[in-house]
Amino acid sequence: DLALVLEKSGAYQEAADKLWHVASKKWDSRLEGIQLIALTELNALIVKHRSNINTETFSKEVIYNLDADVRILLTWDADNTDIDLWVTDPLGVKCDYSHNRTKTGGRMSRDFTQGYGPEVFMVKNAINGDYTIAANYYGNSQQKLAGETTIQATLVTNWGRENEERQAITLRLKGNKEVIKIGKLSFSGK
């Protein structure tokens, strides 16, 4: 998250260095899979701001743009919390942690059951239509009484490309076992 804020403030090299740190470091099992998400973010950052980023200290084998027609990212603000991203494609197929690949090319990231996420859905070559986004607040294992949990979904078309477009949706969840409809991403790129 810090790297994304740094990018928005124009500190592109610092943002890239932070993302490389996450992508290249070994993390405990609670954060397994975060490296791939950081690497995807890093490569998109490099595409958009190549002239402002020195990549000499990054491993050349992993510097490759992982662009996509559709990318949906879900994060939340409560530790030790399990929230699942659900995306239903234009054919009506739901992609989630238990069905993480679709026939239309949709891919769901690893299920983060603790921490703050993120969970990510991507389609390299998306079919036209509406992608319906929902979150399943499975529960939390916090030791203390915490307030309501806030989720943020970032909906992106043309991820990692110069014509990238983003929309952010922020919502409050009220309780465990709640399924909340976040919205739709309409894709008509082909």
Side-chain angles (χ1 to χ4, degrees):
D1 287 345
L2 175 58
L4 301 179
V5 170
L6 289 166
E7 176 189 6
K8 287 198 182 305
S9 70
Y12 306 122
Q13 185 65 52
E14 192 175 354
D17 292 341
K18 297 280 185 217
L19 288 167
W20 177 248
H21 174 76
V22 173
S24 61
K25 184 178 174 186
K26 184 171 175 73
W27 298 92
D28 66 45
S29 61
R30 187 170 95 100
L31 299 171
E32 185 178 324
I34 196 67
Q35 296 96 333
L36 182 57
I37 293 169
L39 191 58
T40 304
E41 295 278 355
L42 174 63
N43 279 291
L45 179 71
I46 291 169
V47 166
K48 291 184 279 185
H49 307 289
R50 182 172 305 277
S51 64
N52 296 305
I53 299 172
N54 180 349
T55 61
E56 289 180 15
T57 60
F58 306 158
S59 177
K60 303 302 178 237
E61 298 86 46
V62 296
I63 302 302
Y64 178 82
N65 190 23
L66 304 167
D67 65 328
D69 286 343
V70 170
R71 184 175 192 256
I72 299 165
L73 176 110
L74 181 70
T75 60
W76 49 92
D77 69 349
D79 197 11
N80 295 316
T81 301
D82 184 3
I83 298 177
D84 299 317
L85 173 61
W86 294 354
V87 178
T88 303
D89 71 17
L91 299 180
V93 177
K94 183 172 87 173
C95 191
D96 62 21
Y97 71 93
S98 66
H99 183 252
N100 61 5
R101 296 174 184 258
T102 68
K103 290 181 181 180
T104 59
R107 300 289 185 261
M108 184 68 68
S109 66
R110 179 186 174 275
D111 183 21
F112 284 91
T113 60
Q114 300 176 25
Y116 305 92
E119 293 194 8
V120 179
F121 171 84
M122 288 180 73
V123 183
K124 174 83 172 161
N125 297 302
I127 61 172
N128 291 340
D130 290 336
Y131 291 79
T132 304
I133 302 128
N136 177 24
Y137 186 1
Y138 189 77
N140 69 57
S141 58
Q142 295 177 359
Q143 298 280 332
K144 60 181 181 169
L145 219 57
E148 295 176 342
T149 300
T150 301
I151 60 172
Q152 180 162 5
T154 305
L155 291 54
V156 184
T157 56
N158 298 308
W159 166 256
R161 301 174 187 154
E162 290 185 12
N163 61 338
E164 179 179 294
E165 292 184 18
R166 294 173 168 255
Q167 175 187 4
I169 300 171
T170 304
L171 301 167
R172 288 289 255 179
L173 301 179
K174 297 196 185 325
N176 292 354
K177 308 299 181 191
E178 178 183 10
V179 175
I180 186 166
K181 183 177 177 183
I182 296 172
K184 290 184 181 181
L185 181 149
S186 295
F187 181 77
S188 59
K190 308 247 179 338

